[in-house]
């Protein structure tokens, strides 16, 4: 059986990065419902992220989205984050909200548009230099809607050329993380539709380019843990964007739609060394909280990842290996199910108290008065949201 002390030690080393945009007004493609107390500036986003870290103890990094989090002085913003007890993490690019990108960005047939998109990505690397961030995460909305609209292979060539320019600009300790999405907003072809395309492009770039797995960016029935295992085996898993989906890219709280899937993914992470620091897998949230309160939703998501991780760490590896080696299908499956069906909430409550944290982070946040304070103080100005 797994050593509980070892499980607790692994939990203490876990780090989950929260998204700045998760604290702003965001949600469905049809309507974004504004909430009182939502941040108006990147600093206020960091204030909220600091509260998530304060009550969970494992969320010390905050991902930025450019230009949504654009400021004049990134070094000063980084210093402010440290004052609040957090630090700036992944820099996320945006090549999908400009009119010039209607037919694509780095894959666009017009060299001038491609140059504009590449210049933005290079600007993001400049921001990484200023903030000390190590990762540039790229998600592309590029694709086509109709057969014959553009040359599929030529678009891949443009993609490779554009990414190579950005890759050459990276520092020795910086990475390019390429995300994929099987559809939307392009419906006929998507230029980076799956892990294989992302993997192929990253392999051609080099060791500093790795694949990002967004858990909401897969067709129904896709075995995401299989993808995760293969990328870990190839040392090409750069990170996760954790969220949940029922139908498409729903961006719901991670673990809310299929907690068993989240457990299965993290089992493969644990079994294949993905939690080891040298593997350098970035565990990030990428969620849009439309009808739920922002900060409690992020806290719950962090807790959901933590709960699934604890269950994954409780898998009896020795028993599993024995059952697999003997071909005992039912016994092997029972080992997995025993771990998943374990109620780890008492273990996590005990661990939190040992770390000087409240056993119930959501309850502790509710009792802190922070929500009432930001609702009272953040009056006037323009609330942050998609595009701001």
């Amino acid at each position: 059986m797994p050593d509980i002390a070892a499980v607790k030690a692994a939990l203490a080393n876990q780090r989950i990065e929260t998204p700045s945009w998760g604290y702003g007004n965001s949600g469905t493609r049809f309507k974004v419902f504004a909430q009182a107390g939502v941040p108006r500036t990147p600093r206020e986003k960091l204030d909220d992220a600091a509260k998530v870290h304060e009550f969970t103890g494992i969320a010390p990094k905050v991902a930025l989205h450019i230009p949504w989090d654009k400021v004049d002085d990134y070094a000063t913003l980084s210093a402010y984050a440290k004052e609040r007890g957090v630090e700036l993490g992944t820099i996320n690019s945006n090549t999908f909200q400009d009119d010039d990108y209607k037919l694509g960005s780095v894959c666009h047939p017009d060299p001038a548009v491609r140059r504009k998109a590449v210049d933005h990505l290079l600007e993001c690397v400049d921001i990484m230099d200023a903030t000390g961030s190590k990762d540039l995460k790229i998600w592309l909305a590029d694709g086509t809607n109709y057969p014959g609209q553009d040359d599929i292979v030529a678009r891949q060539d443009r993609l490779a050329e554009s990414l190579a320019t950005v890759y050459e600009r990276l520092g020795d300790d910086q990475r390019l993380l390429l995300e994929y999405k099987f559809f939307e907003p392009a419906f006929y072809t998507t230029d980076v539709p799956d892990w294989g395309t992302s993997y192929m492009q990253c392999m051609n770039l080099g060791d500093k380019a790795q694949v990002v797995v967004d858990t909401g960016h897969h067709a129904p029935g896709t075995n995401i843990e299989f993808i995760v295992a293969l990328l870990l085996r190839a040392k090409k898993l750069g990170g996760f964007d954790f969220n949940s989906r029922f139908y498409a890219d729903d961006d719901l709280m991670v673990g809310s739609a299929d907690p068993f899937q989240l457990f299965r993914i993290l089992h493969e992470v644990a079994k294949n060394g993905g939690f080891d620091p040298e593997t350098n897998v970035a565990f990030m949230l990428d969620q849009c909280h439309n009808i739920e309160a922002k900060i409690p939703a992020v806290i719950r998501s962090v807790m959901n990842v933590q709960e699934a991780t604890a269950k994954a760490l409780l898998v009896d590896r020795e028993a599993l290996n024995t059952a697999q080696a003997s071909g005992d299908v039912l016994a092997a499956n029972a080992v997995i199910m025993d771990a998943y069906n374990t109620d780890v909430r008492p273990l996590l409550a005990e661990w939190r108290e040992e770390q000087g944290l409240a056993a119930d982070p959501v309850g502790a946040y509710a009792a802190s008065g922070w929500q009432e304070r930001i609702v009272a103080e953040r009056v006037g100005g323009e609330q942050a949201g998609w595009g701001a």
Side-chain angles (χ1 to χ4, degrees):
M1 290 295 294
D3 181 354
I4 296 301
V7 171
K8 288 183 175 180
L11 291 170
N13 291 326
Q14 186 172 40
R15 297 293 180 267
I16 299 170
E17 187 170 341
T18 69
S20 67
W21 56 97
Y23 301 100
N25 287 322
S26 58
T28 73
R29 289 105 179 111
F30 304 102
K31 169 66 178 174
V32 175
F33 298 103
Q35 296 184 17
V38 162
R40 298 160 296 179
T41 66
R43 287 195 175 203
E44 290 182 347
K45 293 178 184 179
L46 293 175
D47 291 339
D48 289 354
K51 288 297 173 183
V52 173
H53 182 47
E54 176 184 339
F55 292 109
T56 64
I58 61 168
K61 286 190 176 184
V62 187
L64 298 186
H65 209 296
I66 306 300
W68 299 348
D69 295 315
K70 199 164 187 174
V71 295
D72 294 330
D73 189 335
Y74 291 97
T76 298
L77 184 66
S78 181
Y80 181 79
K82 291 178 181 177
E83 290 174 6
R84 304 297 296 134
V86 293
E87 59 182 296
L88 303 183
T90 303
I91 302 299
N92 293 258
S93 59
N94 184 321
T95 56
F96 52 86
Q97 283 191 316
D98 192 287
D99 285 345
D100 284 343
Y101 300 143
K102 180 172 67 173
L103 300 180
S105 60
V106 296
C107 301
H108 198 287
D110 185 342
V113 176
R114 295 201 300 274
R115 182 71 252 178
K116 174 179 178 176
V118 169
D119 284 345
H120 167 70
L121 298 176
L122 294 174
E123 176 194 12
C124 288
V125 181
D126 292 339
I127 294 170
M128 292 166 64
D129 292 340
T131 61
S133 302
K134 304 300 182 185
D135 294 335
L136 167 65
K137 182 150 66 68
I138 299 174
W139 171 71
L140 301 169
D142 291 37
T144 65
N145 278 2
Y146 295 100
Q149 177 182 324
D150 201 357
D151 187 304
I152 293 173
V153 172
R155 292 181 73 89
Q156 288 297 313
D157 292 340
R158 298 169 201 153
L159 172 62
E161 181 181 6
S162 299
L163 292 179
T165 301
V166 179
Y167 186 87
E168 289 301 315
R169 169 64 181 81
L170 296 174
D172 291 339
D173 60 346
Q174 294 175 334
R175 300 187 299 175
L176 184 159
L177 304 182
L178 184 59
E179 193 174 343
Y180 59 90
K181 185 176 183 181
F182 77 108
F183 87 106
E184 194 188 45
F187 296 111
Y188 175 61
T189 63
T190 300
D191 290 313
V192 189
D194 51 38
W195 72 274
T197 306
S198 178
Y199 176 79
M200 178 181 64
Q201 291 284 349
C202 289
M203 284 295 293
N204 290 335
L205 289 170
D207 293 340
K208 293 185 293 184
Q210 295 188 301
V211 181
V212 169
V213 174
D214 185 307
T215 53
H217 285 189
H218 299 84
T222 300
N223 190 319
I224 301 174
E225 58 267 31
F226 177 83
I227 298 170
V228 169
L230 262 60
L231 289 173
L232 282 168
R233 179 177 182 271
K235 296 180 172 52
K236 276 294 181 181
L237 179 62
F240 287 96
D241 273 0
F242 281 126
N243 55 70
S244 281
R245 56 165 294 282
F246 283 103
Y247 297 108
D249 183 22
D250 303 338
D251 275 343
L252 301 172
M253 291 188 299
V254 60
S256 60
D258 188 350
F260 184 45
Q261 179 190 69
L262 179 61
F263 160 77
R264 298 193 312 264
I265 291 170
L266 291 174
H267 165 63
E268 292 299 331
V269 172
K271 186 170 69 67
N272 294 291
F275 289 125
D276 298 342
E278 58 269 23
T279 308
N280 202 23
V281 176
F283 298 90
M284 300 172 277
L285 303 181
D286 180 15
Q287 301 172 181
C288 296
H289 308 292
N290 194 28
I291 60 173
E292 64 270 37
K294 314 294 182 180
I295 301 173
V298 177
I299 291 175
R300 284 191 179 277
S301 290
V302 171
M303 293 172 63
N304 288 349
V305 175
Q306 194 177 38
E307 183 173 326
T309 299
K311 292 183 177 186
L313 294 170
L314 286 175
V315 172
D316 189 333
R317 301 276 181 76
E318 184 177 348
L320 181 61
N321 292 338
T322 298
Q324 290 174 342
S326 65
D328 193 334
V329 176
L330 292 179
N333 178 249
V335 172
I336 295 293
M337 297 308 301
D338 284 346
Y340 175 69
N341 289 322
T342 301
D343 185 357
V344 296
R345 290 174 297 178
L347 169 65
L348 289 170
E350 182 179 285
W351 175 85
R352 293 185 186 109
E353 290 177 333
E354 291 171 354
Q355 301 295 315
L357 301 166
D360 175 13
V362 174
Y365 171 74
S368 71
W370 181 256
Q371 191 67 38
E372 292 78 8
R373 174 180 168 180
I374 60 178
V375 168
E377 293 181 354
R378 295 176 185 172
V379 177
E382 184 175 348
Q383 290 186 323
W386 283 350

